Amino acid sequence: MNFQTDNTEINSLSKSEKYIAILPFIQGIWEAEKNLVANLGNTAAVLKQYFQWWWVGFYVVENSELVLGPFQGPVACTRIAKGKGVCGAAWEKEETIVVKNVHEFPGHIACSDASNSEIVVPVFLNNKVVAVLDADSEHLAHFDEIDAAGLKKIADLMGRLWYQK
Ligand code: SME
């Protein structure tokens, strides 16, 4: 795999172009390796490098909770119950949630004071949520429908190549 490491070039891309550029990288990661932790870790790393969000990573479903998986960013809450916070709500509703201002989201779980907006996208395996992809920004209203569509493509790809569950 040949990853883009030139940040100047990355920063010259539009948001849509970044999503188009990273999809084959992420596909390569998931096709080359079966280990879930390795693949979630590298996927978080690619997303962090391209988008430089405050926090990006995964929570993985374990019984009735989401448990913190690989991520890039500050230390985060380790367990989230179904329906709780933005992550638990996206799991329960089985849909992407875009939050323009986390301080106005009822039940938002503040892992970091610096986070102001958030997007959570479920990953499905056999029509069941097995994980959520979570990204936080220090900017208000940072995520939009381009992010929702781009991250859904990534989550769908991960669900198709989710070998270990
Ligand atoms: N804010 C999330 C918790 C996870 S952190 O943002 C990393 C939530 O409300 O579910």
Side-chain angles (χ1 to χ4, degrees):
M1 266 180 288
N2 187 15
F3 292 108
Q4 177 62 261
T5 51
D6 178 354
N7 281 336
T8 314
E9 207 169 302
I10 290 171
N11 292 338
S12 73
L13 299 174
S14 70
K15 185 151 75 172
S16 304
E17 287 169 338
K18 287 181 186 177
Y19 281 111
I20 291 166
I22 61 173
L23 203 61
F25 287 166
I26 293 173
Q27 182 163 356
I29 286 167
W30 285 77
E31 284 176 349
E33 172 60 55
K34 284 182 192 285
N35 184 275
L36 189 61
V37 173
N39 290 343
L40 292 174
N42 272 337
T43 303
V46 172
L47 289 167
K48 178 73 175 183
Q49 187 181 13
Y50 271 71
F51 295 101
Q52 289 136 39
W53 295 318
W54 177 253
W55 193 97
V56 59
F58 298 94
Y59 282 88
V60 180
V61 172
E62 199 180 282
N63 304 318
S64 60
E65 290 179 316
L66 291 167
V67 181
L68 182 63
F71 66 94
Q72 298 260 325
V75 170
C77 332
T78 53
R79 288 174 188 269
I80 298 174
K82 195 169 193 177
K84 299 293 179 193
V86 186
C87 292
W91 176 21
E92 187 172 62
K93 293 186 162 136
E94 303 192 337
E95 62 189 32
T96 296
I97 300 183
V98 179
V99 183
K100 302 279 178 201
N101 181 349
V102 295
H103 310 290
E104 291 174 355
F105 186 92
H108 168 255
I109 300 165
C111 294
S112 161
D113 287 348
S115 174
N116 281 314
S117 60
E118 181 164 7
I119 184 168
V120 180
V121 183
V123 177
F124 293 90
L125 174 70
N126 300 328
N127 299 316
K128 281 193 72 176
V129 176
V130 287
V132 298
L133 189 171
D134 180 17
D136 293 74
S137 172
E138 67 274 39
H139 307 293
L140 282 166
H142 192 67
F143 302 103
D144 58 19
E145 62 288 343
I146 296 174
D147 298 291
L151 292 177
K152 182 162 179 7
K153 278 192 187 148
I154 292 167
D156 288 348
L157 173 74
M158 289 168 50
R160 285 201 299 279
L161 298 172
W162 194 275
Y163 298 106
Q164 296 213 332
K165 289 252 167 178

